[in-house]
Structures are given as structure tokens and as C-alpha cells.
Amino acid sequence: MGGQLDLSIRGNRSGLISVSDLVRMVRDALDAKLGEHWVVGEISNARLAPSNHFYFTLKDSRSAINVVMFKSAFNRMRFKAVDGMEVIVRGRVQIFEQRGALQLYAEEMEPRGVGALQAAFEQLKRRLEAEGLFDRARKRAMPYLPRRIGIVTARGGAGLRDMLRILFDRFPKLQVIFRPAKVQGDGSAQEIADAIADLNRDGRAEVLIVGRGGGSLEDLWAFNEEIVARAIFRSAIPVISAVGHEVDYTIADFVADLRAPTPTAAAQMVVPSLVELTERVASLGASLASVMQRELSGRRESIDDLAARIRHPGVAIAEARERLAGIEGELADAVSSRIAERRRTIRELRLRLRSPDAMVREMRLATSRLGNSLVHGTLSALEGRRRQLGALAGRLDALSPLKVLDRGYAVVINKTNSRAVLDAAMVKPGDELDIRLARGRLGARAIARAI
């Protein structure tokens, strides 16, 4: 009745009912009158029980109701519900008989304003990025020319057909190891992860292409599952993700070593075209041949030039012998000239050298002559000195006062001052005088003087 509950309980004291009966009556009435509803509210007191049943309170500004989402429904939920999140819940209201409380039994829930898948995508992306699964540093380079390529996709899908066509068109000798897996629906993520692990255990593939053709977000959702992301992250073989169309980005694209916008693009990226390689090799071969030809031509010219510079060994030896002969003649002449010069020097030195005996004799003779000359010179000098002394003695004797005294002169000394009296003025009357004669002396006293 318009979604409203029409509940009436009638009875009297004679017809008493138990609490359980009352609660059961309310439950039955609710089951009969209320079907499933989509309810909008904010999550509060969210908690996950050990049984994996999810409990929370759904509230708005005026009311609140307890909600339980059982394990099966909770495991289907793509996002993490947290307190404060505004959600839309699909469920049925029933009575929890043990407490007689109203409770909403939720079957489905999604964030309000954004789809549950998109919310789950963003939550998982942030978590895996924080763990480092998207780090560019761990991205591996693709092998340039892989001989074996592993493909994980659906059997019979358009994506597989396109990839095989492109791969064998580009490189017919390529070996493809196909590992089929569901790529859509329940269990698809597990199959994709298992296929990646199988190809790693097999170990023959040098690179893996994991993907599928285009579809809706729900169709591609397996490639947004955490189990696929971690399988790609663990793969020892480099992985190319090729999911949907160019505008579709999945979690697998962020984890993979290389993202291809489509499965077809992945086939084109993973292996070069054999025709293009052949043409390139031919072009490089022609370029290399041209370079080698020019190099060989240059080397031949160099060899010819060197050959022109090289003379016959016999001619070189003859010229060397001739130069050697000339050098020998010059050396002999130089040696002879040097010997002759030395001989002349020796003769000159020999002429300068005299016998020691002759030199002794000459020195003795010279010494004898010098001794005689010294004796004669000394005697002559003595004689000369004697004669000179005799002359001086004669002259001195002639000047001697005694000689003057002999001629009658006398020397008068004033005894007062012991000076010779040369002037009468030097003597005063009464002075005693000492008069020396040629023979003897006289004492006198001045009695008068006349000047």
C-alpha cells in the first residue's frame, strides 16, 4: 500500500501472545508489505566481523537503521565502504528476532555520485601505486625480436584473431604460445592470473601479451582485479597489456611493462615486420658494401703509393754498402790523421823532456857558479864596505872635536848649567867653568866678561 506498512494487532487478555509471536507477526507483516528498496544514507560504525559479514549503520539527519551485508554480497562489492561515505544500498527490511530490532539486509551497495566499479578502480589504483606496482624503474624493456610470444586472452575472441593475423603477417616464423582464459564474467580474473602463472612456469615465451578486445567497463573489469595486477607484477616474463580500446585504461595497464592501446597494436609493437627488417637489412647491406668498397679503394691507393716508395732491396743494400765503404775510408783517414797528430805531439813533448842526470849536472854547475859568484860578490861587497867605512872613518876623524883640540882649541862648559859656552853672554862673573883641552881638563871661574 504505497510502500507503507499497514500493521494492526488485535487481541485481548484472554488471547495473550508471546514476545516471539509478536516479533514474528511483525516480521511476517514486514515481509508481506515491504519488498526491496534502494536506500540512501551515510555509513557509520562500519565493521567487518570475523565471519566476513559486514555490519554498519545507515543514517541521515533524522534517522538511522542497522544494516548487515552477508559475506556473499560483501565479496561481490568492488569498493571499500568506510565511515562517512554516502552510499545507495539495495536491501530488504526485516526484524532481527533475537533483539526485536529493525535491520536492513543489504544485497548490493555502491557509492553515491560515482559508480561502485569506478570507486573500486580508484581505491585499488591508489593502493597498488603506493605499494610500488606501477614504478617506472621496474619496467622492463621488450626483446627486440622475440622468437616465442605468449598470449593470454579468450579462445575464439576477435582480439586473438587480430593478434595472430598481425603477428604472422609481420613475422611468419614466429612461435605463439596461446593460453586461453576467460576475460569476462565471474572467475575471469582468476583464470587470467592462472594463465600468466602457467606461461611463466612454462618458460618458453620471451614476452607475454595479456588482453582482450573492447567492451564496457564491466566487460573489462577482470583486468582491474587485484589478482590480475599481482600476477602481472610477479611475472618473470615482460608483459604487454592490451585491453579494450585506446581510451580504456585498466589496472593491468599500469602494472604491465608496456601498455598497448589495443590487441592489434600490441601485435604490431611486440615484433618487427619481417618485410621491413629484410628491406632494412638489404639497405644496410648496400650501405655497408658501398662503404667497404670506398674503404678498399682507399686502401688500394695507399698500398700503391707505398709500393711506389719502396725500392728494390738489392739497390738499397748496394747503396748501403757504398755508404759503408765511404764511411770506412773516412774513418781510416781520420784514424791515421789522429795517429800522426798524436805522434807529432809525442815528439814535441819528447824534445821538451831532458834527462834528469843532465838537469842535475846543470843545476849543480849553476849552483857552483852561483856559489862562486856569491863568495866573490860578498868579498867584493865587504871590500867596498871596508873602503867606504875607511873613508867615512877618515872623514869622521877629521871632524872629531879631539882633532880640533889637538890644534889648540878648548871646550868650555858652564858648570852652572852644563852647557858649552859659545858666547860670553852665557857666563856670568863667578860661574865655575870646566875647560877640556886636547890632553886633560881645567877648572876655572869667570871673573869678568866682555861682550
Side-chain angles (χ1 to χ4, degrees):
M1 194 171 71
Q4 296 182 357
L5 178 62
D6 182 12
L7 180 62
S8 60
I9 301 175
R10 298 180 178 85
N12 49 48
R13 288 180 180 273
S14 60
L16 292 175
I17 61 174
S18 67
V19 174
S20 298
D21 292 337
L22 177 62
V23 171
R24 191 175 305 112
M25 290 172 63
V26 173
R27 184 199 64 187
D28 293 342
L30 289 173
D31 287 343
K33 297 296 182 180
L34 286 180
E36 283 190 345
H37 285 78
W38 285 92
V39 185
V40 178
E42 180 183 317
I43 294 176
S44 176
N45 298 321
R47 64 188 187 282
L48 182 64
S51 59
N52 273 347
H53 300 325
F54 185 55
Y55 296 91
F56 60 97
T57 300
L58 190 64
K59 66 179 184 180
D60 59 17
S61 60
R62 298 179 57 187
S63 303
I65 186 171
N66 293 328
V67 183
V68 58
M69 177 177 276
F70 293 126
K71 175 181 176 181
S72 57
F74 178 75
N75 289 338
R76 291 196 301 271
M77 198 168 62
R78 306 293 187 182
F79 67 99
K80 182 179 180 181
V82 296
D83 287 348
M85 179 179 287
E86 191 171 18
V87 295
I88 303 173
V89 180
R90 180 176 65 84
R92 182 185 298 273
V93 175
Q94 290 184 344
I95 288 289
F96 183 50
E97 295 184 19
Q98 285 79 356
R99 292 199 298 266
L102 278 177
Q103 188 160 266
L104 178 62
Y105 290 83
E107 294 293 335
E108 185 178 356
M109 180 167 60
E110 66 181 44
R112 189 180 188 191
V114 60
L117 293 180
Q118 186 61 34
F121 177 89
E122 295 297 338
Q123 288 178 350
L124 181 61
K125 181 184 174 186
R126 286 194 294 271
R127 184 157 55 85
L128 297 183
E129 184 174 18
E131 291 184 25
L133 269 67
F134 303 164
D135 285 351
R136 290 186 176 277
R138 55 163 295 276
K139 305 286 185 183
R140 295 161 292 190
M142 296 297 114
Y144 177 71
L145 187 59
R147 291 168 297 177
R148 288 177 290 276
I149 297 174
I151 295 179
V152 176
T153 189
R155 188 192 303 275
L160 175 62
R161 289 196 301 274
D162 291 344
M163 284 191 284
L164 293 178
R165 176 176 56 79
I166 295 296
L167 288 173
F168 291 120
D169 282 350
R170 293 177 68 81
F171 212 90
K173 297 180 179 179
L174 192 68
Q175 182 180 359
V176 174
I177 305 171
F178 173 55
R179 173 62 167 82
K182 283 178 62 179
V183 293
Q184 181 176 339
D186 293 341
S188 56
Q190 185 64 56
E191 288 199 17
I192 294 170
D194 292 343
I196 294 172
D198 286 347
L199 288 176
N200 272 270
R201 282 191 292 270
D202 181 84
R204 290 178 297 164
E206 298 170 53
V207 61
L208 303 183
I209 299 175
V210 179
R212 55 154 292 165
S216 65
L217 177 60
E218 289 77 8
D219 294 340
L220 305 181
W221 189 254
F223 294 91
N224 288 321
E225 294 285 358
E226 182 174 353
I227 188 174
V228 173
R230 295 199 180 279
I232 294 174
F233 182 75
R234 286 193 300 268
S235 176
I237 304 171
V239 175
I240 300 176
S241 65
V243 182
H245 300 299
E246 186 169 359
V247 295
D248 298 321
Y249 273 86
T250 64
I251 296 295
D253 292 329
F254 294 108
V255 183
D257 296 287
L258 181 65
R259 174 189 180 261
T262 63
T264 302
Q268 293 172 337
M269 294 164 65
V270 75
V271 65
S273 167
L274 180 60
V275 174
E276 293 176 358
L277 280 179
T278 304
E279 292 176 352
R280 187 178 178 189
V281 169
S283 175
L284 292 174
S287 299
L288 181 60
S290 177
V291 171
M292 292 179 62
Q293 187 61 36
R294 288 198 299 271
E295 183 68 18
L296 288 174
S297 178
R299 294 298 177 92
R300 289 194 186 97
E301 292 179 359
S302 299
I303 291 172
D304 293 342
D305 184 56
L306 292 173
R309 296 181 186 180
I310 296 174
R311 293 178 298 170
H312 191 278
V315 176
I317 292 173
E319 291 181 354
R321 284 176 175 171
E322 185 176 352
R323 288 198 300 274
L324 180 60
I327 293 172
E328 285 178 348
E330 292 175 358
L331 181 60
D333 293 343
V335 171
S336 299
S337 176
R338 194 64 178 271
I339 292 173
E341 183 181 355
R342 294 295 182 183
R343 284 175 177 170
R344 284 195 301 272
T345 302
I346 291 171
R347 282 197 300 272
E348 291 174 0
L349 292 173
R350 185 176 294 170
L351 290 175
R352 294 178 185 178
L353 292 175
R354 292 184 299 175
S355 171
D357 295 339
M359 292 180 66
V360 170
R361 285 194 299 272
E362 289 180 359
M363 291 179 69
R364 284 177 177 173
L365 183 59
T367 302
S368 178
R369 285 199 295 268
L370 288 174
N372 292 333
S373 297
L374 181 59
V375 171
H376 290 303
T378 303
L379 293 175
S380 176
L382 288 173
E383 185 59 27
R385 293 295 181 181
R386 285 194 187 100
R387 287 195 297 271
Q388 187 178 5
L389 180 61
L392 292 174
R395 291 173 61 186
L396 182 60
D397 184 63
L399 294 175
S400 174
L402 297 178
K403 289 296 184 181
V404 177
L405 297 177
D406 286 344
R407 289 196 303 268
Y409 294 97
V411 177
V412 179
I413 302 300
N414 188 344
K415 294 178 71 173
T416 303
N417 52 16
S418 299
R419 297 177 63 181
V421 179
L422 302 178
D423 189 349
M426 296 174 63
V427 177
K428 295 183 295 189
D431 291 344
E432 291 184 354
L433 301 175
D434 180 19
I435 303 171
R436 183 172 182 178
L437 303 175
R439 286 180 293 276
R441 310 173 71 106
L442 295 176
R445 178 175 292 144
I447 59 176
R449 68 179 179 181
I451 300 174

